[in-house]
Amino acid sequence: TCALPISPYLRPVYQELAEQCGELTILLSALTEQNRQWVPDVRELPVVLQRTFSVTQIWKHPSGFAEAGTLHVPYDTLPRLMRYRPDVVIAGEMGFRSLQAWLYTLVNSSCRLVLWAKVSDVTERGRGWLRRTARGFLARRASAVIVNGKGGSRYIEGLGVPRSRIYAIPQTTDLRALSALPVEKDGADRKRLLYCGSLSERKGILPFLRCLARWCSANPSVGVDLDVVGHGTLRDSLENLPRPGNLRLTIRDNVAYEDLPGVYGSAGLYIFHTLADEWGMVITEAMAAGLPVIGSRFSQAVEELVQDEVTGWTFHPDREDELLGVLDRALYTPADELTQMGRRARAAV
């Protein structure tokens, strides 16, 4: 039972489940989302669209961003489970659909409930007591809880779930095309910065550009290229932000998923200034492509995968001076050393 459309990342997971399980049914709340530009591919997958009412809500985070999203409330989960009689229910998120899945386990005591908690202790800062109480009630009654990494484990343990019932399964995707890219870069490409993702407040791309402009002003002899690939409300703000002559900014709209290897292959360093991410698949992709990462510690993927001065550099996005120091180290690192870091990044991921 899923809240979100089936992304290019998740499709191979469901294909594998469909092959391994005797029978699989995917209950999906919605086929599209207002903040996702891709069209989900559900061909050959056993998808059933649920009866759902949806409301727009604003996520306000202590880090200072506000982001509009959609809350889906599927009201037919329990009747459908009664009809399908599954042995295991994997319930995405910890809301009304998960509550109905738990109620089904009371009717069918042989069924096991697994919660898929796409959260971290950073993303859930500032959540109200009611949500936390409801989540704790459900999580403590699940047979197992899947999280992405340490941040998710910390949050779920804080709800009173024993560590023995928490399973860290990091998100990934098919990395073969990215891993086939050459790690060695020519000339200026070795220090070309890349960001892929939504141009939203939560991703922190605007404060990153301000900080990078400040660094470039203080280092006028260093030319810096930043490629931004994505779509969002901040595009005009990024284009109109004052910047020194030694900082060149290129902004491109979203590219097709299958064209991403070419985007990563043209860069030398990856930047991720997110203010809250329960994972960050771009980190997995960038490291597979052999790019050292300049990454925010508010991303669980950065916390799990990026090692300072080995596969990249980490920083707290709410500490600008810390990021300025990271930019100093990264942009003055010799090209051959960056190549070695890229090799270590690929090996690590």
Side-chain angles (χ1 to χ4, degrees):
T1 68
C2 311
L4 301 176
I6 295 175
S7 70
Y9 306 120
L10 286 177
R11 181 176 170 81
V13 176
Y14 288 124
Q15 287 176 319
E16 181 75 10
L17 275 174
E19 293 171 5
Q20 296 295 332
C21 296
E23 186 175 351
L24 172 70
T25 300
I26 303 170
L27 302 183
L28 197 64
S29 297
L31 286 176
T32 59
E33 289 285 340
Q34 60 179 346
N35 61 345
R36 287 168 171 81
Q37 300 302 309
W38 39 262
V39 177
D41 180 6
V42 297
R43 292 172 299 172
E44 302 175 2
L45 290 178
V47 169
V48 174
L49 196 61
Q50 293 193 254
R51 294 177 179 175
T52 304
F53 69 84
S54 305
V55 295
T56 298
Q57 59 179 4
I58 304 297
W59 177 18
K60 295 183 178 180
H61 194 273
S63 293
F65 68 83
E67 183 173 273
T70 305
L71 173 65
H72 299 292
V73 183
Y75 51 86
D76 65 345
T77 303
L78 182 56
R80 288 189 180 278
L81 295 179
M82 295 290 289
R83 186 186 316 162
Y84 298 138
R85 298 192 62 80
D87 300 300
V88 178
V89 178
I90 304 175
E93 301 187 349
M94 292 175 281
F96 190 54
R97 77 173 47 74
S98 298
L99 175 62
Q100 293 176 83
W102 171 69
L103 292 173
Y104 172 74
T105 65
L106 299 183
V107 177
N108 181 2
S109 59
S110 64
C111 180
R112 295 293 175 261
L113 172 62
V114 178
L115 293 181
W116 185 3
K118 298 184 70 178
V119 297
S120 76
D121 50 353
V122 172
T123 63
E124 303 315 294
R125 288 177 185 171
R127 299 292 196 188
W129 70 268
L130 180 60
R131 177 176 299 197
R132 184 176 179 85
T133 300
R135 285 176 167 180
F137 176 87
L138 284 171
R140 290 190 296 272
R141 285 159 178 78
S143 295
V145 181
I146 298 171
V147 297
N148 282 326
K150 299 182 184 71
S153 294
R154 290 192 295 265
Y155 178 78
I156 296 301
E157 280 191 73
L159 298 180
V161 178
R163 185 174 297 180
S164 60
R165 295 216 305 269
I166 301 172
Y167 294 82
I169 306 177
Q171 293 185 45
T172 189
T173 186
D174 188 340
L175 301 176
R176 286 174 292 184
L178 293 162
S179 298
L181 295 170
V183 176
E184 296 78 8
K185 306 290 178 179
D186 295 329
D189 285 348
R190 180 67 273 176
K191 295 190 178 181
R192 182 183 296 274
L193 302 177
L194 172 67
Y195 166 79
C196 294
S198 64
L199 309 184
S200 64
E201 290 184 8
R202 178 169 63 89
K203 295 297 186 177
I205 184 62
L206 188 57
F208 173 80
L209 183 57
R210 290 195 187 102
C211 188
L212 182 61
R214 178 182 167 188
W215 187 91
C216 288
S217 295
N219 297 268
S221 63
V222 181
V224 176
D225 290 282
L226 171 62
D227 290 343
V228 174
V229 179
H231 175 84
T233 58
L234 295 181
R235 176 165 185 150
D236 288 345
S237 299
L238 291 169
E239 290 179 331
N240 296 326
L241 185 74
R243 54 186 183 271
N246 60 327
L247 172 54
R248 294 173 291 275
L249 172 67
T250 303
I251 302 179
R252 299 166 55 190
D253 282 329
N254 286 329
V255 300
Y257 181 69
E258 57 271 18
D259 295 333
L260 279 177
V263 173
Y264 286 105
S266 66
L269 292 163
Y270 192 83
I271 64 99
F272 197 50
H273 191 279
T274 184
L275 303 180
D277 252 280
E278 48 87 18
W279 184 245
M281 186 67 73
V282 290
I283 300 301
T284 309
E285 293 172 336
M287 294 177 71
L291 303 185
V293 171
I294 302 172
S296 160
R297 294 192 63 82
F298 289 179
S299 155
Q300 204 169 181
V302 170
E303 180 184 8
E304 294 287 329
L305 298 173
V306 182
Q307 185 177 353
D308 270 308
E309 306 290 347
V310 178
T311 57
W313 300 265
T314 66
F315 63 93
H316 294 84
D318 53 352
R319 304 174 190 173
E320 187 174 281
D321 287 345
E322 191 173 303
L323 176 55
L324 288 170
V326 163
L327 290 172
D328 259 339
R329 298 199 299 276
L331 294 175
Y332 280 112
T333 297
D336 58 344
E337 189 173 334
L338 289 176
T339 298
Q340 293 304 316
M341 293 179 75
R343 290 196 179 99
R344 292 194 292 265
R346 176 173 288 172
V349 77

